[in-house]
Amino acid sequence: KKKLKISGRELLSVPTQVFGLEQLQVLEMSPERESCLRYRMELLPQEISHLRNLTCLYLDSNNLKKIPAEIGTLSHLERLTLSNNSLSSLPAEMGALQRLHSLHLANNSLTELPAPLCQLRNLTFLDVSDNKIEIIPSSIRHLENLETLLLLFNSLESLPEDVCFLRNLHTLWLGNNHLRSLPAAFGELVNLDWGCNYCSCNFEGNPLESPPPEVCSRGPEGIRDYFLSLHRI
């Protein structure tokens, strides 16, 4: 088998037989979204390292509290979904997953964007919505291929200027944080979707003062003009 889905109303652990499937490429241990189930698996065993050919690992909606360091040995991994768990931290070894391009971490208990994630140079999609993140490290500038960054429903009070180096960003959601201001170079993110009906640069739910929300809605040119006007004063 190269693809395996494990399901069960009371899934508590990974069956040990799975770790003998060394050619496995896709492993899914998360309930169907429409089922409204939540599995109860708390631990991903260290033996996950035996599955060296995995490209996709789906672990959403469990009760995972920790990811083992051995996750870093899955050098072929391209997609990892860990949303809706109980994670408060991630192992530094995740920085070794250099083929990873899609990482889902929404609805956990992370308080900061882990620095190892900023080493994932091929990452194009990162969802850390609905955590408790207060800090974005300056090393985020290294995610030069990032196209989608979802930061909704966190505790951000500011964004580092380094976010403005992510020139390939098309989608950036910042809604429902505590942002009062944006970096002066924010208007340089010219590839963001600024559509009126679907504004990927989402500021709703933030007490923005500089620039005010009405300026943000004008897009990058409006934001650039706003900060330029401040320099002239």
Side-chain angles (χ1 to χ4, degrees):
K1 282 183 176 296
K2 292 190 176 182
K3 182 176 182 179
L4 178 64
K5 176 177 174 60
I6 300 175
S7 60
R9 186 174 294 274
E10 298 294 334
L11 184 67
L12 296 175
S13 62
V14 185
T16 55
Q17 299 94 323
V18 170
F19 302 119
L21 303 174
E22 296 182 357
Q23 299 306 311
L24 200 61
Q25 294 178 357
V26 179
L27 177 57
E28 184 172 353
M29 292 182 288
S30 55
E32 301 290 343
R33 292 189 179 185
E34 60 271 17
S35 71
C36 298
L37 289 177
R38 189 183 183 102
Y39 294 169
R40 296 193 296 163
M41 185 167 58
E42 295 187 2
L43 178 67
L44 183 65
Q46 297 175 345
E47 287 79 6
I48 192 69
S49 62
H50 295 174
L51 305 180
R52 295 293 179 90
N53 290 301
L54 275 185
T55 59
C56 300
L57 179 58
Y58 300 94
L59 294 165
D60 301 286
S61 299
N62 279 278
N63 193 29
L64 292 172
K65 294 177 169 59
K66 185 178 180 181
I67 301 298
E70 286 75 11
I71 194 79
T73 65
L74 304 180
S75 58
H76 293 283
L77 204 61
E78 298 176 0
R79 183 178 178 87
L80 176 60
T81 67
L82 295 167
S83 297
N84 304 314
N85 279 287
S86 302
L87 298 170
S88 58
S89 63
L90 296 171
E93 288 77 5
M94 281 188 66
L97 302 177
Q98 288 303 313
R99 293 193 185 185
L100 199 67
H101 61 72
S102 182
L103 179 58
H104 298 240
L105 292 166
N107 195 21
N108 277 283
S109 299
L110 300 172
T111 57
E112 61 181 1
L113 190 64
L117 301 190
C118 298
Q119 302 171 22
L120 304 177
R121 302 299 178 88
N122 289 312
L123 205 62
T124 61
F125 181 98
L126 175 58
D127 182 0
V128 287
S129 302
D130 206 359
N131 278 277
K132 302 173 184 177
I133 294 175
E134 299 177 356
I135 300 172
I136 303 293
S138 60
S139 54
I140 195 172
R141 66 160 62 195
H142 299 312
L143 300 181
E144 54 194 30
N145 291 312
L146 198 63
E147 297 178 1
T148 300
L149 177 58
L150 307 184
L151 290 164
L152 298 87
F153 293 97
N154 277 289
S155 302
L156 293 171
E157 295 187 357
S158 63
L159 288 178
E161 289 277 350
D162 303 84
V163 169
C164 304
F165 286 90
L166 304 178
R167 300 298 171 83
N168 286 311
L169 272 182
H170 290 278
T171 303
L172 175 60
W173 286 356
L174 298 167
N176 292 281
N177 278 280
H178 307 308
L179 297 172
R180 293 189 176 277
S181 63
L182 297 177
F186 194 90
E188 301 300 321
L189 296 175
V190 295
N191 289 319
L192 284 177
D193 177 2
W194 295 82
C196 295
N197 296 323
Y198 185 72
C199 185
S200 290
C201 196
N202 183 333
F203 303 108
E204 293 180 5
N206 286 289
L208 274 174
E209 299 173 356
S210 176
E214 60 270 19
V215 171
C216 293
S217 65
R218 300 173 194 162
E221 289 186 5
I223 292 178
R224 279 201 302 266
D225 291 345
Y226 172 82
F227 284 114
L228 284 173
S229 67
L230 292 182
H231 289 303
R232 296 191 194 105
I233 297 175

